[in-house]
Amino acid sequence: MIAYDLSPENAPALEKDARFKVLKGHTTTDVIVAMNNSKKPFSDPKVRQAITLAIDRKAVIQGAVAGYGTLIGSHMDPTNPYYVDLSELYPYNPEKARQLLAEPGIQMDLKLCSSCRNPMPMPEDREKLLLTSFPRVGIKLTLEVIQMGQWIDRVFKKCGLRRDRYGPRRTLRHRNLRPS
């Protein structure tokens, strides 16, 4: 029997059962936090760096997909021939994130909203786990669950993002951060 589309937390139980063989491999599915750098506050590279430094990606992988994931640090997955490992370029560093956000000229009261589509490939509690790092550095983040049509309208039309000529990227979750 071949099964797919199982939640990652099912793997340890299946591995313990002699009737099953769990095969692990790479996938093209990825998690992306998108920021439109042509709009404030994301037009400031320090804000983007602070947001990146604020995300504990190892904890996200552990909590959201039971440790079955790979840090990638970019929008390319390891199966892509153009993949370059950038996972340590901005490692989790909440102290440095706070310092960047405290620099002169940076908006001190940073309030962001993350829209995710419904139906969601991941349960909402996992979605919330992915966003818990922000309050630790002083960023207030709200999660908004919207219908797929609204999500496409916001991400691809109103935010200026577009599909590339190869079609839409296949993503596990594409978070579109915006000022709230």
Side-chain angles (χ1 to χ4, degrees), residues 15-125:
E15 287 174 326
K16 292 177 186 175
D17 190 325
R19 297 174 299 158
F20 301 102
K21 181 177 181 180
V22 176
L23 303 174
K24 301 172 195 168
H26 291 289
T27 179
T28 58
T29 302
D30 50 18
V31 175
I32 297 172
V33 175
M35 296 173 267
N36 187 339
N37 64 1
S38 70
K39 296 185 179 186
K40 289 188 175 218
F42 309 114
S43 57
D44 188 328
K46 290 181 181 180
V47 170
R48 295 192 308 269
Q49 287 176 4
I51 290 169
T52 304
L53 291 166
I55 300 171
D56 187 350
R57 293 174 289 157
K58 290 178 182 174
V60 168
I61 288 172
Q62 188 60 45
V65 291
Y68 294 97
T70 303
L71 291 176
I72 57 175
S74 75
H75 63 284
M76 301 250 184
D77 62 82
T79 63
N80 188 304
Y82 301 104
Y83 169 75
V84 176
D85 184 1
L86 300 173
S87 60
E88 292 303 318
L89 185 61
Y90 296 106
Y92 176 58
N93 189 335
E95 183 58 38
K96 187 171 181 182
R98 278 190 292 276
Q99 289 172 0
L100 285 170
L101 293 173
E103 289 187 14
I106 303 292
Q107 181 181 344
M108 291 300 295
D109 188 24
L110 198 55
K111 296 178 182 173
L112 305 175
C113 182
S114 176
S115 298
C116 60
R117 62 187 187 260
N118 186 19
M120 300 186 313
M122 294 172 34
E124 191 170 345
D125 60 332

